[in-house]
Each structure stands twice: as structure tokens, then as C-alpha cells.
Amino acid sequence: MERTFVMIKPDAVQRKLIGEIVQRIERKGLKLVAAKLMTVPQSLAETHYAEHKERPFYNSLISFITSAPVFAMVLEGEDAVNISRHIIGATNPSEASLGTIRGDLGLTVGRNVVHGSDSVESAEREIALWFDESEISSYTLPEDVWVYE
Ligand code: DAT
Ligand code: MG
């Protein structure tokens, strides 16, 4: 089973969209195996977004992500990285398809509602960065026999 990291950003937490977003993820069939509401320390934000350090939007991205609590999650399921990126939609909500989280709930790229790991390697790195292994639960759901062949 694959794992991925998804974070509900400060804009969506303030807009009380945690429930709506978690519901979309759960209904798709992905399993929530870790979750926490937290205010992101500067150092964690910088490490998380290190690949964007030279981009013009980097400083505003870091100040946004540390400005108010986020809701961080680990999700598990077959092809979880790819599927969660599809549920989330394109980076810019103005280009994201309707039916996706960003397409339905966002308006601008600087307030695009959620983060999701973009590859299995990023997911492993981000999960290790945000969660201690002891915070991640391993459990079975009876519904799984109706989600997987
Ligand atoms: P994604 O979050 O879809 O993986 P990314 O990794 O390219 O996108 O960028 C990380 C975040 O940075 C993105 O969610 C929002 C912000 N961002 C990206 N491109 C931007 C831009 N052109 N202007 C402002 N913010 C941007
Ligand atoms: Mg990215």
C-alpha cells in the first residue's frame, strides 16, 4: 500500500473547510492513517518547500504557510500519491478542473487550499518530515473488501 502526505493549508482551515476536504478524500476510498492540526514552525516550512527556494513566490509562500494552523495528514491506499493529486487538481485553482478540491474551493494560486506530495519519493520525504512513525496508525477497514478487488 502506498502512502502520501496531504496538508490542508491555512486558508482552508480558516474557511472551515477541513471537514469538506477530509470527506472528499475518505469518500474516494483513501484511508486516513495520521492527522494533526498544527502551526508550522518556520524551519519546517523552509525544509518542506526547499525546492522552491529560488522562486519569486517563495517568501510569501513561507509566510502564508506559517501564518495560521494547517491540518496535516497521511493517507494510505493503492496509487495514493497519484490519486490524491487528481482529487486535489492543478496548482492554479483557475486552471484546476471542476470536481477537484482546488477547482471547486479555490480561486488563486497563492491560496490554493491544499498541498499533496507529487511523487512517491516526495511523499516518503514529507511524511518523515511532518510525522513521527509512532503517530501513524496501521489498521484495517471492513469497507476495504468493497474498495479493492
Ligand atoms: P503544487 O502545490 O501543486 O505541488 P508547486 O509545488 O509547484 O505546486 O508549488 C508549491 C506551492 O507554491 C503551490 O501550491 C502554490 C505556490 N505557487 C506555485 N506557483 C506559484 C506562482 N506562480 N505564484 C504564486 N504561488 C505559487
Ligand atoms: Mg509541489
Side-chain angles (χ1 to χ4, degrees):
M1 275 301 161
E2 198 168 284
R3 281 177 178 177
T4 192
F5 173 72
V6 172
M7 182 233 309
I8 302 178
K9 293 182 177 181
D11 52 335
V13 174
Q14 294 298 314
R15 291 169 60 203
K16 300 182 178 171
L17 293 174
I18 294 175
E20 155 100 35
I21 293 165
V22 172
Q23 183 177 45
R24 286 170 179 236
I25 291 166
E26 285 188 308
R27 289 177 68 193
K28 180 67 178 172
L30 292 173
K31 189 197 294 179
L32 195 57
V33 294
K36 58 185 170 188
L37 184 85
M38 61 184 282
T39 302
V40 185
Q42 180 81 13
S43 58
L44 174 57
E46 288 175 1
T47 311
H48 176 78
Y49 280 124
E51 64 169 319
H52 297 305
K53 197 163 176 50
E54 307 306 325
R55 310 285 287 277
F57 57 82
Y58 177 77
N59 286 339
S60 57
L61 178 61
I62 298 299
S63 64
F64 166 55
I65 223 73
T66 56
S67 64
V70 304
F71 191 73
M73 295 175 273
V74 180
L75 305 170
E76 198 175 85
E78 200 170 294
D79 207 18
V81 171
N82 187 35
I83 284 173
S84 57
R85 290 285 289 194
H86 280 302
I87 302 174
I88 290 168
T91 302
N92 192 331
S94 69
E95 286 155 19
S97 303
L98 295 181
T100 66
I101 293 169
R102 287 168 172 166
D104 288 350
L105 305 176
L107 212 54
T108 64
V109 70
R111 298 288 183 269
N112 67 356
V113 185
V114 270
H115 163 84
S117 307
D118 64 8
S119 65
V120 173
E121 298 70 42
S122 310
E124 283 171 4
R125 184 185 84 88
E126 292 170 2
I127 291 168
L129 202 55
W130 289 77
F131 286 92
D132 190 86
E133 193 58 40
S134 67
E135 295 177 295
I136 304 175
S137 295
S138 182
Y139 63 103
T140 54
L141 290 172
E143 287 82 0
D144 282 349
V145 298
W146 300 105
V147 174
Y148 295 104
E149 280 189 274

